[in-house]
Amino acid sequence: KDMKIRFEDFDDDDIIIFTVDGVNFITEEFRMDPHGKWFDHKSKSSGLKYEFAVSLKKSALIWINGPFPASRHDSTVFRGGRKDMKIEDWDHDALYWKMPKGTKGIGDSGYVGIENIIIYREE
């Protein structure tokens, strides 16, 4: 299986800065698994969420993760688990655990409270 993350394309002395966000894709309703977890509140329809990270220096896609139910919060996908879960139970294949030391990400308000993500807010 090919690696989804491409941090190896950077030199050891590079400062890696990327932007990350969860993107919801509208789908038909899941008839075999009808559940509110598939509900996307933005589009008010059924959907799937994918997480994308793009390097700002190399202008390249460096991470794709998913699919997840559309209702899953961006920070939960990024960390691999919710704050109320034990860290041992989090998915350690999530981006949070794959980032090299010194790496910084830029995200929207969905990433508030994550120490290695800088929050961008429009005034």
Side-chain angles (χ1 to χ4, degrees):
K1 184 176 177 181
D2 290 339
M3 290 185 62
K4 292 187 266 181
I5 193 162
R6 302 299 306 212
F7 286 121
E8 72 271 5
D9 291 343
F10 295 86
D11 296 326
D12 290 340
D13 58 345
D14 279 347
I15 297 172
I16 303 171
I17 302 174
F18 63 90
T19 182
V20 62
D21 203 6
V23 179
N24 292 350
F25 292 84
I26 296 173
T27 64
E28 296 293 325
E29 192 170 339
F30 296 96
R31 298 174 102 198
M32 300 301 284
D33 185 18
H35 195 279
K37 68 183 178 183
W38 306 111
F39 184 72
D40 174 13
H41 71 278
K42 291 180 183 175
S43 66
K44 303 207 181 329
S45 63
S46 183
L48 294 170
K49 176 174 288 203
Y50 288 84
E51 178 181 57
F52 295 94
V54 177
S55 165
L56 298 180
K57 180 178 181 182
K58 296 194 180 227
S59 198
L61 185 64
I62 59 172
W63 177 262
I64 301 171
N65 196 13
F68 300 98
S71 64
R72 190 163 303 172
H73 197 276
D74 288 353
S75 63
T76 301
V77 172
F78 178 78
R79 286 190 306 253
R82 296 182 318 271
K83 284 184 177 181
D84 63 344
M85 295 170 58
K86 293 180 185 175
I87 290 180
E88 304 86 52
D89 295 335
W90 288 7
D91 177 6
H92 288 248
D93 288 326
L95 181 55
Y96 177 83
W97 302 99
K98 300 295 184 182
M99 293 170 56
K101 288 189 180 189
T103 304
K104 290 288 184 187
I106 299 172
D108 59 19
S109 61
Y111 298 87
V112 168
I114 300 174
E115 70 274 359
N116 43 358
I117 297 294
I118 299 163
I119 305 304
Y120 171 77
R121 291 193 178 142
E122 291 186 45
E123 295 295 326

